[in-house]
Amino acid sequence: MATTTSLAPHTPTGAGFQNPNFPNPHGPHDARVIIYGFAVHLLQLIRYRTWFLTPLALACFLETVGYIFRSLSSKNDPYHIIWFVVQYFLIVVAPVFISASIYVCINRLIAWAKSNGFVLNQWWFAPGLILWGFVTVDILTTVLQIAGAALVGSSESNQNDPTKGNNILLAGLAIQSFSFTAFLMVLTLFRFALSKVPERQSMVRTKDWFVAALALASLLVYLRTLFRLAETAQGLFSYLSIHEVFFGTLEFAPVVIAVWIVAMMHPGRWLPYDATRNAPTPSPARVDTRADKEF
């Protein structure tokens, strides 16, 4: 269980809640980078009509507003609990929408593979599991994280021990990390299954850059989740939470890079809306059944 101090360091007597960003009030002007990402994704959403990526544009918007409140909280009034809760809520929730967009892209890749004769009958390639299974886990764990953050903020405001709220937050992050680990395994198994059909490798290579981009974006979101898990495990106002360099390199940077990777390798160019419709019915290319026995 994580342990926390009930009152932030450097907090004046009677000041109550203090934003952990306070010791580092002059962080990077990160909101502007997210704003650019939001604009690019919104334009691509309209241009390619990839409405299934609406959650990604929404994620950029939430990040933008979250970082605006973070800037207000850290530079203007570190004792404003509402500003802290808003920025924490939005910055925690936004990556969930990025993950949801990645799940949809993998779903469409699997549909593309099946429409082109690849037989992917293993249960871990079921569309419902990848999309609704992982999204549901993300939603539930995000609710836990928000509830934990709210309890932490309330406890700090009343100068009580925030350990209970922090432990709820920690549980949400731990489950989310486990779920995303499982998703990365599914993504790896998918690419491995495609490689088992030598006669269709020229077709697979047409999607390789896109699959690699999705994998890299997924790893970056995963890195951000692991950082949050480690930060929360240390406790509120721990070394990780009060040093801006860790937030900048392990929270902000991974999300920004993931957003821009997906923008540069936009699914609208690799997975057009009708990519899996009206496709010819090729002869099935069956994956070696020995691979099924290994898992």
Side-chain angles (χ1 to χ4, degrees), residues 70-122:
R70 186 174 189 269
S71 180
L72 290 172
S73 181
S74 63
K75 296 177 181 179
N76 293 352
D77 186 359
Y79 308 110
H80 201 303
I81 187 170
I82 299 301
W83 287 359
F84 169 72
V85 170
V86 170
Q87 62 96 3
Y88 193 94
F89 170 81
L90 295 180
I91 293 174
V92 164
V93 167
V96 173
F97 291 98
I98 299 175
S99 300
S101 296
I102 292 174
Y103 301 151
V104 173
C105 289
I106 298 303
N107 248 19
R108 285 179 170 259
L109 275 173
I110 292 175
W112 164 83
K114 289 181 176 180
S115 72
N116 283 283
F118 292 89
V119 179
L120 304 171
N121 291 330
Q122 296 88 344

Side-chain angles (χ1 to χ4, degrees), residues 28-234:
H29 299 288
D30 33 31
R32 289 178 295 183
V33 184
I34 299 290
I35 291 172
Y36 300 147
F38 170 59
V40 169
H41 277 289
L42 188 59
L43 290 173
Q44 291 181 319
L45 184 72
I46 296 171
R47 177 185 176 186
Y48 295 112
R49 298 185 178 182
T50 47
W51 310 122
F52 62 90
L53 289 178
T54 300
L56 186 56
L58 178 60
C60 294
F61 175 74
L62 295 179
E63 289 273 352
T64 299
V65 178
Y67 279 109
I68 289 173
F69 273 89
R70 186 174 189 269
S71 180
L72 290 172
S73 181
S74 63
K75 296 177 181 179
N76 293 352
D77 186 359
Y79 308 110
H80 201 303
I81 187 170
I82 299 301
W83 287 359
F84 169 72
V85 170
V86 170
Q87 62 96 3
Y88 193 94
F89 170 81
L90 295 180
I91 293 174
V92 164
V93 167
V96 173
F97 291 98
I98 299 175
S99 300
S101 296
I102 292 174
Y103 301 151
V104 173
C105 289
I106 298 303
N107 248 19
R108 285 179 170 259
L109 275 173
I110 292 175
W112 164 83
K114 289 181 176 180
S115 72
N116 283 283
F118 292 89
V119 179
L120 304 171
N121 291 330
Q122 296 88 344
W123 63 268
W124 50 81
F125 294 137
L129 171 66
I130 293 177
L131 184 58
W132 300 113
F134 288 118
V135 167
T136 299
V137 171
D138 276 357
I139 291 173
L140 292 177
T141 55
T142 300
V143 169
L144 280 176
Q145 292 173 56
I146 294 169
L151 282 175
V152 167
S154 175
S155 298
E156 281 294 322
S157 181
N158 297 317
Q159 299 190 25
N160 295 327
D161 184 6
T163 300
K164 181 179 179 180
N166 199 69
N167 287 335
I168 293 174
L169 181 58
L170 182 62
L173 285 164
I175 298 171
Q176 189 177 45
S177 298
F178 177 80
S179 173
F180 210 83
T181 301
F183 169 73
L184 291 174
M185 292 176 64
V186 170
L187 179 57
T188 302
L189 290 171
F190 170 68
R191 184 60 187 86
F192 177 74
L194 295 185
S195 68
K196 300 288 288 184
V197 188
E199 63 271 22
R200 297 193 185 278
Q201 289 314 292
S202 59
M203 183 184 299
V204 172
R205 281 193 290 272
T206 65
K207 303 294 184 184
D208 262 349
W209 281 104
F210 181 62
V211 173
L214 283 183
L216 182 55
S218 299
L219 286 172
L220 288 167
V221 174
Y222 185 55
L223 173 63
R224 172 260 172 200
T225 305
L226 293 180
F227 162 67
R228 282 294 192 181
L229 179 64
E231 177 192 47
T232 306
Q234 281 193 358

Side-chain angles (χ1 to χ4, degrees), residues 236-282:
L236 196 64
F237 305 112
S238 62
Y239 187 82
L240 288 177
S241 66
I242 65 173
H243 287 78
E244 186 80 11
V245 62
F246 295 112
F247 184 93
T249 56
L250 297 174
E251 163 68 46
F252 170 70
V255 172
V256 169
I257 296 172
V259 164
W260 280 100
I261 285 175
V262 179
M264 291 186 290
M265 303 292 289
H266 196 270
R269 297 195 295 272
W270 298 86
L271 292 174
Y273 182 74
D274 60 350
T276 60
R277 298 186 181 185
N278 303 320
T281 305

